[in-house]
mmCIF file of all heavy atoms in Angstrom:
data_model
loop_
_atom_site.group_PDB
_atom_site.id
_atom_site.type_symbol
_atom_site.label_atom_id
_atom_site.label_comp_id
_atom_site.label_asym_id
_atom_site.label_seq_id
_atom_site.Cartn_x
_atom_site.Cartn_y
_atom_site.Cartn_z
ATOM 1 N N SER A 139 -42.976 -12.199 27.097
ATOM 2 C CA SER A 139 -42.795 -13.582 27.520
ATOM 3 C C SER A 139 -41.338 -14.045 27.260
ATOM 4 O O SER A 139 -40.698 -14.722 28.066
ATOM 5 C CB SER A 139 -43.756 -14.504 26.766
ATOM 6 O OG SER A 139 -45.114 -14.168 27.057
ATOM 7 N N ASP A 140 -40.814 -13.649 26.074
ATOM 8 C CA ASP A 140 -39.425 -13.973 25.758
ATOM 9 C C ASP A 140 -38.449 -13.327 26.757
ATOM 10 O O ASP A 140 -37.480 -13.956 27.164
ATOM 11 C CB ASP A 140 -39.114 -13.485 24.330
ATOM 12 C CG ASP A 140 -37.714 -13.753 23.944
ATOM 13 O OD1 ASP A 140 -37.299 -14.918 23.789
ATOM 14 O OD2 ASP A 140 -36.902 -12.802 23.777
ATOM 15 N N ALA A 141 -38.753 -12.110 27.121
ATOM 16 C CA ALA A 141 -37.842 -11.430 28.077
ATOM 17 C C ALA A 141 -37.842 -12.147 29.424
ATOM 18 O O ALA A 141 -36.744 -12.291 30.033
ATOM 19 C CB ALA A 141 -38.320 -9.981 28.285
ATOM 20 N N ILE A 142 -38.932 -12.698 29.877
ATOM 21 C CA ILE A 142 -38.964 -13.448 31.117
ATOM 22 C C ILE A 142 -38.183 -14.745 30.940
ATOM 23 O O ILE A 142 -37.415 -15.137 31.825
ATOM 24 C CB ILE A 142 -40.424 -13.782 31.548
ATOM 25 C CG1 ILE A 142 -41.184 -12.490 31.865
ATOM 26 C CG2 ILE A 142 -40.397 -14.687 32.790
ATOM 27 C CD1 ILE A 142 -42.668 -12.728 32.146
ATOM 28 N N ARG A 143 -38.365 -15.410 29.823
ATOM 29 C CA ARG A 143 -37.653 -16.679 29.618
ATOM 30 C C ARG A 143 -36.157 -16.526 29.551
ATOM 31 O O ARG A 143 -35.405 -17.512 29.745
ATOM 32 C CB ARG A 143 -38.139 -17.337 28.336
ATOM 33 C CG ARG A 143 -39.613 -17.854 28.426
ATOM 34 C CD ARG A 143 -39.951 -18.790 27.231
ATOM 35 N NE ARG A 143 -40.024 -18.046 25.997
ATOM 36 C CZ ARG A 143 -41.131 -17.518 25.482
ATOM 37 N NH1 ARG A 143 -42.263 -17.648 26.132
ATOM 38 N NH2 ARG A 143 -41.103 -16.902 24.298
ATOM 39 N N ARG A 144 -35.648 -15.300 29.323
ATOM 40 C CA ARG A 144 -34.212 -15.076 29.295
ATOM 41 C C ARG A 144 -33.603 -14.982 30.682
ATOM 42 O O ARG A 144 -32.394 -14.972 30.841
ATOM 43 C CB ARG A 144 -33.887 -13.790 28.495
ATOM 44 C CG ARG A 144 -34.359 -13.733 27.057
ATOM 45 C CD ARG A 144 -33.768 -14.851 26.186
ATOM 46 N NE ARG A 144 -34.266 -14.805 24.867
ATOM 47 C CZ ARG A 144 -33.579 -14.388 23.831
ATOM 48 N NH1 ARG A 144 -32.398 -13.896 23.989
ATOM 49 N NH2 ARG A 144 -34.130 -14.442 22.606
ATOM 50 N N ILE A 145 -34.460 -14.887 31.719
ATOM 51 C CA ILE A 145 -33.967 -14.774 33.064
ATOM 52 C C ILE A 145 -33.453 -16.139 33.525
ATOM 53 O O ILE A 145 -34.128 -17.154 33.392
ATOM 54 C CB ILE A 145 -35.097 -14.293 34.039
ATOM 55 C CG1 ILE A 145 -35.537 -12.851 33.652
ATOM 56 C CG2 ILE A 145 -34.641 -14.361 35.489
ATOM 57 C CD1 ILE A 145 -36.728 -12.402 34.436
ATOM 58 N N PRO A 146 -32.200 -16.209 34.066
ATOM 59 C CA PRO A 146 -31.688 -17.481 34.596
ATOM 60 C C PRO A 146 -32.619 -18.100 35.617
ATOM 61 O O PRO A 146 -33.142 -17.401 36.507
ATOM 62 C CB PRO A 146 -30.374 -17.074 35.198
ATOM 63 C CG PRO A 146 -29.966 -15.834 34.494
ATOM 64 C CD PRO A 146 -31.258 -15.098 34.222
ATOM 65 N N GLY A 147 -32.873 -19.356 35.487
ATOM 66 C CA GLY A 147 -33.781 -20.049 36.404
ATOM 67 C C GLY A 147 -35.197 -20.211 35.894
ATOM 68 O O GLY A 147 -36.015 -20.966 36.469
ATOM 69 N N VAL A 148 -35.523 -19.556 34.774
ATOM 70 C CA VAL A 148 -36.874 -19.665 34.207
ATOM 71 C C VAL A 148 -36.881 -20.704 33.118
ATOM 72 O O VAL A 148 -36.119 -20.650 32.130
ATOM 73 C CB VAL A 148 -37.351 -18.304 33.654
ATOM 74 C CG1 VAL A 148 -38.646 -18.463 32.871
ATOM 75 C CG2 VAL A 148 -37.490 -17.309 34.738
ATOM 76 N N LYS A 149 -37.746 -21.682 33.271
ATOM 77 C CA LYS A 149 -37.867 -22.775 32.274
ATOM 78 C C LYS A 149 -38.864 -22.430 31.217
ATOM 79 O O LYS A 149 -38.629 -22.761 30.010
ATOM 80 C CB LYS A 149 -38.244 -24.058 32.988
ATOM 81 C CG LYS A 149 -38.225 -25.298 32.117
ATOM 82 C CD LYS A 149 -38.428 -26.600 32.926
ATOM 83 C CE LYS A 149 -38.195 -27.833 32.090
ATOM 84 N NZ LYS A 149 -38.393 -29.043 32.901
ATOM 85 N N ASN A 150 -39.945 -21.820 31.566
ATOM 86 C CA ASN A 150 -40.956 -21.371 30.577
ATOM 87 C C ASN A 150 -41.774 -20.254 31.185
ATOM 88 O O ASN A 150 -41.837 -20.128 32.419
ATOM 89 C CB ASN A 150 -41.869 -22.561 30.187
ATOM 90 C CG ASN A 150 -42.407 -22.408 28.777
ATOM 91 O OD1 ASN A 150 -42.303 -21.329 28.139
ATOM 92 N ND2 ASN A 150 -42.949 -23.454 28.223
ATOM 93 N N ALA A 151 -42.381 -19.457 30.336
ATOM 94 C CA ALA A 151 -43.162 -18.320 30.871
ATOM 95 C C ALA A 151 -44.090 -17.770 29.817
ATOM 96 O O ALA A 151 -43.819 -17.848 28.614
ATOM 97 C CB ALA A 151 -42.227 -17.209 31.314
ATOM 98 N N LYS A 152 -45.247 -17.275 30.275
ATOM 99 C CA LYS A 152 -46.151 -16.500 29.455
ATOM 100 C C LYS A 152 -46.516 -15.227 30.221
ATOM 101 O O LYS A 152 -46.742 -15.259 31.406
ATOM 102 C CB LYS A 152 -47.438 -17.307 29.191
ATOM 103 C CG LYS A 152 -47.350 -18.381 28.130
ATOM 104 C CD LYS A 152 -47.471 -17.798 26.754
ATOM 105 C CE LYS A 152 -47.318 -18.883 25.658
ATOM 106 N NZ LYS A 152 -48.473 -19.807 25.688
ATOM 107 N N GLN A 153 -46.603 -14.124 29.472
ATOM 108 C CA GLN A 153 -47.039 -12.884 30.054
ATOM 109 C C GLN A 153 -48.277 -12.378 29.343
ATOM 110 O O GLN A 153 -48.292 -12.302 28.139
ATOM 111 C CB GLN A 153 -45.957 -11.791 29.920
ATOM 112 C CG GLN A 153 -46.223 -10.569 30.743
ATOM 113 C CD GLN A 153 -46.900 -9.417 29.995
ATOM 114 O OE1 GLN A 153 -46.824 -8.273 30.452
ATOM 115 N NE2 GLN A 153 -47.509 -9.659 28.880
ATOM 116 N N TYR A 154 -49.327 -12.064 30.147
ATOM 117 C CA TYR A 154 -50.574 -11.534 29.600
ATOM 118 C C TYR A 154 -50.658 -10.060 29.932
ATOM 119 O O TYR A 154 -50.491 -9.650 31.110
ATOM 120 C CB TYR A 154 -51.758 -12.269 30.272
ATOM 121 C CG TYR A 154 -51.832 -13.765 29.931
ATOM 122 C CD1 TYR A 154 -51.191 -14.644 30.775
ATOM 123 C CD2 TYR A 154 -52.528 -14.220 28.819
ATOM 124 C CE1 TYR A 154 -51.205 -16.022 30.505
ATOM 125 C CE2 TYR A 154 -52.566 -15.564 28.547
ATOM 126 C CZ TYR A 154 -51.898 -16.447 29.355
ATOM 127 O OH TYR A 154 -51.959 -17.812 29.082
ATOM 128 N N THR A 155 -50.872 -9.284 28.890
ATOM 129 C CA THR A 155 -51.141 -7.849 29.056
ATOM 130 C C THR A 155 -52.647 -7.660 29.182
ATOM 131 O O THR A 155 -53.393 -8.170 28.338
ATOM 132 C CB THR A 155 -50.606 -7.064 27.878
ATOM 133 O OG1 THR A 155 -49.177 -7.319 27.742
ATOM 134 C CG2 THR A 155 -50.809 -5.571 28.059
ATOM 135 N N VAL A 156 -53.099 -6.959 30.236
ATOM 136 C CA VAL A 156 -54.513 -6.865 30.515
ATOM 137 C C VAL A 156 -54.885 -5.387 30.629
ATOM 138 O O VAL A 156 -54.419 -4.645 31.512
ATOM 139 C CB VAL A 156 -54.889 -7.569 31.855
ATOM 140 C CG1 VAL A 156 -56.368 -7.504 32.088
ATOM 141 C CG2 VAL A 156 -54.374 -8.984 31.830
ATOM 142 N N PRO A 157 -55.746 -4.850 29.743
ATOM 143 C CA PRO A 157 -56.208 -3.443 29.867
ATOM 144 C C PRO A 157 -57.045 -3.270 31.123
ATOM 145 O O PRO A 157 -57.808 -4.188 31.487
ATOM 146 C CB PRO A 157 -57.049 -3.221 28.615
ATOM 147 C CG PRO A 157 -56.761 -4.362 27.707
ATOM 148 C CD PRO A 157 -56.335 -5.491 28.537
ATOM 149 N N VAL A 158 -56.910 -2.139 31.758
ATOM 150 C CA VAL A 158 -57.801 -1.778 32.879
ATOM 151 C C VAL A 158 -59.111 -1.244 32.272
ATOM 152 O O VAL A 158 -59.127 -0.228 31.624
ATOM 153 C CB VAL A 158 -57.120 -0.711 33.792
ATOM 154 C CG1 VAL A 158 -58.070 -0.293 34.884
ATOM 155 C CG2 VAL A 158 -55.802 -1.290 34.370
ATOM 156 N N GLN A 159 -60.192 -2.012 32.519
ATOM 157 C CA GLN A 159 -61.459 -1.704 31.851
ATOM 158 C C GLN A 159 -61.961 -0.291 32.110
ATOM 159 O O GLN A 159 -62.547 0.372 31.263
ATOM 160 C CB GLN A 159 -62.501 -2.743 32.204
ATOM 161 C CG GLN A 159 -63.773 -2.651 31.349
ATOM 162 C CD GLN A 159 -63.495 -2.863 29.873
ATOM 163 O OE1 GLN A 159 -62.809 -3.817 29.447
ATOM 164 N NE2 GLN A 159 -64.044 -1.955 29.016
ATOM 165 N N ASP A 160 -61.817 0.176 33.378
ATOM 166 C CA ASP A 160 -62.301 1.548 33.685
ATOM 167 C C ASP A 160 -61.580 2.557 32.838
ATOM 168 O O ASP A 160 -62.204 3.552 32.446
ATOM 169 C CB ASP A 160 -62.069 1.836 35.194
ATOM 170 C CG ASP A 160 -63.050 1.057 36.072
ATOM 171 O OD1 ASP A 160 -64.026 0.500 35.545
ATOM 172 O OD2 ASP A 160 -62.813 1.045 37.311
ATOM 173 N N ALA A 161 -60.326 2.336 32.576
ATOM 174 C CA ALA A 161 -59.557 3.286 31.742
ATOM 175 C C ALA A 161 -60.038 3.266 30.270
ATOM 176 O O ALA A 161 -60.239 4.313 29.645
ATOM 177 C CB ALA A 161 -58.086 2.949 31.808
ATOM 178 N N VAL A 162 -60.309 2.061 29.758
ATOM 179 C CA VAL A 162 -60.817 1.918 28.389
ATOM 180 C C VAL A 162 -62.170 2.636 28.281
ATOM 181 O O VAL A 162 -62.414 3.363 27.304
ATOM 182 C CB VAL A 162 -60.924 0.454 27.998
ATOM 183 C CG1 VAL A 162 -61.609 0.286 26.604
ATOM 184 C CG2 VAL A 162 -59.623 -0.231 27.995
ATOM 185 N N ASP A 163 -63.046 2.405 29.268
ATOM 186 C CA ASP A 163 -64.373 3.022 29.183
ATOM 187 C C ASP A 163 -64.295 4.535 29.258
ATOM 188 O O ASP A 163 -65.077 5.238 28.582
ATOM 189 C CB ASP A 163 -65.220 2.505 30.356
ATOM 190 C CG ASP A 163 -65.561 1.014 30.235
ATOM 191 O OD1 ASP A 163 -65.472 0.496 29.080
ATOM 192 O OD2 ASP A 163 -65.936 0.392 31.256
ATOM 193 N N ALA A 164 -63.343 5.039 30.093
ATOM 194 C CA ALA A 164 -63.240 6.498 30.167
ATOM 195 C C ALA A 164 -62.765 7.118 28.883
ATOM 196 O O ALA A 164 -63.269 8.168 28.451
ATOM 197 C CB ALA A 164 -62.252 6.840 31.306
ATOM 198 N N VAL A 165 -61.852 6.469 28.158
ATOM 199 C CA VAL A 165 -61.381 6.932 26.857
ATOM 200 C C VAL A 165 -62.483 6.881 25.834
ATOM 201 O O VAL A 165 -62.737 7.832 25.105
ATOM 202 C CB VAL A 165 -60.146 6.163 26.406
ATOM 203 C CG1 VAL A 165 -59.788 6.500 24.967
ATOM 204 C CG2 VAL A 165 -58.961 6.409 27.331
ATOM 205 N N ARG A 166 -63.174 5.760 25.805
ATOM 206 C CA ARG A 166 -64.238 5.555 24.784
ATOM 207 C C ARG A 166 -65.371 6.556 24.968
ATOM 208 O O ARG A 166 -66.025 6.952 23.980
ATOM 209 C CB ARG A 166 -64.745 4.134 24.930
ATOM 210 C CG ARG A 166 -65.646 3.713 23.760
ATOM 211 C CD ARG A 166 -65.971 2.211 23.852
ATOM 212 N NE ARG A 166 -64.904 1.372 23.266
ATOM 213 C CZ ARG A 166 -64.557 0.213 23.778
ATOM 214 N NH1 ARG A 166 -65.046 -0.209 24.917
ATOM 215 N NH2 ARG A 166 -63.592 -0.469 23.169
ATOM 216 N N SER A 167 -65.535 7.051 26.163
ATOM 217 C CA SER A 167 -66.593 8.059 26.445
ATOM 218 C C SER A 167 -66.247 9.434 25.842
ATOM 219 O O SER A 167 -67.076 10.343 25.835
ATOM 220 C CB SER A 167 -66.828 8.196 27.941
ATOM 221 O OG SER A 167 -65.767 8.898 28.579
ATOM 222 N N GLY A 168 -64.975 9.644 25.521
ATOM 223 C CA GLY A 168 -64.554 10.923 25.017
ATOM 224 C C GLY A 168 -64.170 11.941 26.072
ATOM 225 O O GLY A 168 -64.039 13.121 25.782
ATOM 226 N N SER A 169 -64.030 11.496 27.320
ATOM 227 C CA SER A 169 -63.727 12.405 28.437
ATOM 228 C C SER A 169 -62.276 12.841 28.551
ATOM 229 O O SER A 169 -61.923 13.626 29.418
ATOM 230 C CB SER A 169 -64.174 11.739 29.735
ATOM 231 O OG SER A 169 -63.424 10.601 30.020
ATOM 232 N N ASN A 170 -61.407 12.248 27.657
ATOM 233 C CA ASN A 170 -59.968 12.613 27.640
ATOM 234 C C ASN A 170 -59.270 12.509 28.967
ATOM 235 O O ASN A 170 -58.693 13.474 29.472
ATOM 236 C CB ASN A 170 -59.797 14.042 27.073
ATOM 237 C CG ASN A 170 -60.185 14.182 25.628
ATOM 238 O OD1 ASN A 170 -60.247 13.177 24.939
ATOM 239 N ND2 ASN A 170 -60.515 15.384 25.202
ATOM 240 N N PRO A 171 -59.334 11.339 29.638
ATOM 241 C CA PRO A 171 -58.703 11.217 30.930
ATOM 242 C C PRO A 171 -57.196 11.271 30.840
ATOM 243 O O PRO A 171 -56.589 10.927 29.806
ATOM 244 C CB PRO A 171 -59.179 9.813 31.390
ATOM 245 C CG PRO A 171 -59.367 9.038 30.134
ATOM 246 C CD PRO A 171 -59.915 10.068 29.133
ATOM 247 N N GLU A 172 -56.559 11.759 31.901
ATOM 248 C CA GLU A 172 -55.094 11.665 32.046
ATOM 249 C C GLU A 172 -54.798 10.337 32.678
ATOM 250 O O GLU A 172 -55.166 10.069 33.832
ATOM 251 C CB GLU A 172 -54.593 12.810 32.898
ATOM 252 C CG GLU A 172 -54.754 14.168 32.280
ATOM 253 C CD GLU A 172 -53.827 14.365 31.079
ATOM 254 O OE1 GLU A 172 -52.820 13.640 30.945
ATOM 255 O OE2 GLU A 172 -54.096 15.230 30.230
ATOM 256 N N LEU A 173 -54.093 9.451 31.979
ATOM 257 C CA LEU A 173 -53.803 8.098 32.451
ATOM 258 C C LEU A 173 -52.294 7.844 32.446
ATOM 259 O O LEU A 173 -51.640 8.021 31.441
ATOM 260 C CB LEU A 173 -54.504 7.083 31.541
ATOM 261 C CG LEU A 173 -56.034 7.158 31.498
ATOM 262 C CD1 LEU A 173 -56.541 6.220 30.429
ATOM 263 C CD2 LEU A 173 -56.622 6.769 32.841
ATOM 264 N N SER A 174 -51.784 7.396 33.565
ATOM 265 C CA SER A 174 -50.420 6.990 33.630
ATOM 266 C C SER A 174 -50.259 5.599 33.031
ATOM 267 O O SER A 174 -51.237 4.852 32.789
ATOM 268 C CB SER A 174 -49.928 6.924 35.098
ATOM 269 O OG SER A 174 -50.598 5.901 35.783
ATOM 270 N N THR A 175 -49.058 5.194 32.720
ATOM 271 C CA THR A 175 -48.754 3.859 32.205
ATOM 272 C C THR A 175 -49.362 2.770 33.126
ATOM 273 O O THR A 175 -50.021 1.840 32.699
ATOM 274 C CB THR A 175 -47.249 3.643 32.082
ATOM 275 O OG1 THR A 175 -46.730 4.552 31.091
ATOM 276 C CG2 THR A 175 -46.923 2.227 31.654
ATOM 277 N N ARG A 176 -49.191 2.968 34.423
ATOM 278 C CA ARG A 176 -49.667 2.034 35.408
ATOM 279 C C ARG A 176 -51.178 1.957 35.473
ATOM 280 O O ARG A 176 -51.731 0.901 35.756
ATOM 281 C CB ARG A 176 -49.082 2.355 36.770
ATOM 282 C CG ARG A 176 -49.180 1.257 37.790
ATOM 283 C CD ARG A 176 -48.466 1.659 39.094
ATOM 284 N NE ARG A 176 -47.046 1.922 38.859
ATOM 285 C CZ ARG A 176 -46.117 0.937 38.874
ATOM 286 N NH1 ARG A 176 -46.449 -0.260 39.111
ATOM 287 N NH2 ARG A 176 -44.824 1.244 38.637
ATOM 288 N N GLN A 177 -51.865 3.046 35.155
ATOM 289 C CA GLN A 177 -53.340 3.047 35.209
ATOM 290 C C GLN A 177 -53.975 2.365 34.047
ATOM 291 O O GLN A 177 -55.178 2.045 34.082
ATOM 292 C CB GLN A 177 -53.829 4.503 35.330
ATOM 293 C CG GLN A 177 -53.570 5.189 36.632
ATOM 294 C CD GLN A 177 -53.944 6.638 36.626
ATOM 295 O OE1 GLN A 177 -53.559 7.381 35.725
ATOM 296 N NE2 GLN A 177 -54.739 7.036 37.602
ATOM 297 N N LYS A 178 -53.223 2.137 32.974
ATOM 298 C CA LYS A 178 -53.852 1.625 31.724
ATOM 299 C C LYS A 178 -53.811 0.120 31.624
ATOM 300 O O LYS A 178 -54.674 -0.505 30.995
ATOM 301 C CB LYS A 178 -53.186 2.249 30.518
ATOM 302 C CG LYS A 178 -53.518 3.730 30.336
ATOM 303 C CD LYS A 178 -53.085 4.249 28.991
ATOM 304 C CE LYS A 178 -51.554 4.292 28.836
ATOM 305 N NZ LYS A 178 -51.135 4.902 27.547
ATOM 306 N N HIS A 179 -52.757 -0.513 32.150
ATOM 307 C CA HIS A 179 -52.594 -1.952 31.971
ATOM 308 C C HIS A 179 -52.084 -2.636 33.278
ATOM 309 O O HIS A 179 -51.353 -2.024 34.060
ATOM 310 C CB HIS A 179 -51.532 -2.248 30.893
ATOM 311 C CG HIS A 179 -51.914 -1.789 29.505
ATOM 312 N ND1 HIS A 179 -51.609 -0.557 29.015
ATOM 313 C CD2 HIS A 179 -52.666 -2.416 28.563
ATOM 314 C CE1 HIS A 179 -52.085 -0.451 27.789
ATOM 315 N NE2 HIS A 179 -52.772 -1.564 27.472
ATOM 316 N N LEU A 180 -52.455 -3.893 33.354
ATOM 317 C CA LEU A 180 -51.850 -4.841 34.299
ATOM 318 C C LEU A 180 -51.035 -5.860 33.531
ATOM 319 O O LEU A 180 -51.273 -6.098 32.345
ATOM 320 C CB LEU A 180 -52.942 -5.577 35.072
ATOM 321 C CG LEU A 180 -54.019 -4.736 35.776
ATOM 322 C CD1 LEU A 180 -55.055 -5.650 36.382
ATOM 323 C CD2 LEU A 180 -53.384 -3.837 36.850
ATOM 324 N N ARG A 181 -50.038 -6.422 34.202
ATOM 325 C CA ARG A 181 -49.250 -7.481 33.581
ATOM 326 C C ARG A 181 -49.272 -8.740 34.456
ATOM 327 O O ARG A 181 -48.816 -8.673 35.617
ATOM 328 C CB ARG A 181 -47.797 -7.030 33.300
ATOM 329 C CG ARG A 181 -47.727 -5.883 32.302
ATOM 330 C CD ARG A 181 -46.370 -5.742 31.669
ATOM 331 N NE ARG A 181 -46.304 -4.658 30.709
ATOM 332 C CZ ARG A 181 -46.643 -4.794 29.410
ATOM 333 N NH1 ARG A 181 -47.149 -5.879 28.977
ATOM 334 N NH2 ARG A 181 -46.543 -3.745 28.606
ATOM 335 N N ASP A 182 -49.772 -9.803 33.908
ATOM 336 C CA ASP A 182 -49.867 -11.139 34.615
ATOM 337 C C ASP A 182 -48.849 -12.061 34.047
ATOM 338 O O ASP A 182 -48.869 -12.288 32.803
ATOM 339 C CB ASP A 182 -51.285 -11.710 34.512
ATOM 340 C CG ASP A 182 -52.285 -11.057 35.414
ATOM 341 O OD1 ASP A 182 -51.836 -10.395 36.405
ATOM 342 O OD2 ASP A 182 -53.473 -11.239 35.227
ATOM 343 N N CYS A 183 -47.970 -12.590 34.876
ATOM 344 C CA CYS A 183 -46.919 -13.488 34.404
ATOM 345 C C CYS A 183 -47.109 -14.866 35.045
ATOM 346 O O CYS A 183 -47.300 -14.991 36.246
ATOM 347 C CB CYS A 183 -45.547 -12.954 34.852
ATOM 348 S SG CYS A 183 -45.261 -11.193 34.385
ATOM 349 N N TYR A 184 -46.999 -15.869 34.190
ATOM 350 C CA TYR A 184 -47.096 -17.284 34.619
ATOM 351 C C TYR A 184 -45.755 -17.957 34.308
ATOM 352 O O TYR A 184 -45.368 -18.017 33.120
ATOM 353 C CB TYR A 184 -48.240 -17.985 33.966
ATOM 354 C CG TYR A 184 -49.581 -17.450 34.445
ATOM 355 C CD1 TYR A 184 -50.135 -16.291 33.876
ATOM 356 C CD2 TYR A 184 -50.323 -18.104 35.444
ATOM 357 C CE1 TYR A 184 -51.363 -15.786 34.352
ATOM 358 C CE2 TYR A 184 -51.514 -17.598 35.916
ATOM 359 C CZ TYR A 184 -51.987 -16.460 35.346
ATOM 360 O OH TYR A 184 -53.192 -15.936 35.814
ATOM 361 N N VAL A 185 -45.071 -18.434 35.353
ATOM 362 C CA VAL A 185 -43.669 -18.830 35.199
ATOM 363 C C VAL A 185 -43.490 -20.258 35.737
ATOM 364 O O VAL A 185 -43.937 -20.599 36.839
ATOM 365 C CB VAL A 185 -42.759 -17.845 35.982
ATOM 366 C CG1 VAL A 185 -41.283 -18.292 35.851
ATOM 367 C CG2 VAL A 185 -42.972 -16.442 35.483
#
């Protein structure tokens, strides 16, 4: 959130990190999935 607020033109911002539930479930099952950075999380920004 701080990194977004440093961008010129941004007055305020919040960033939410959101796990991808299918990826969490696959790990919890013990199946040892291969997951890229992009497959594990989404990033939602409100500016």
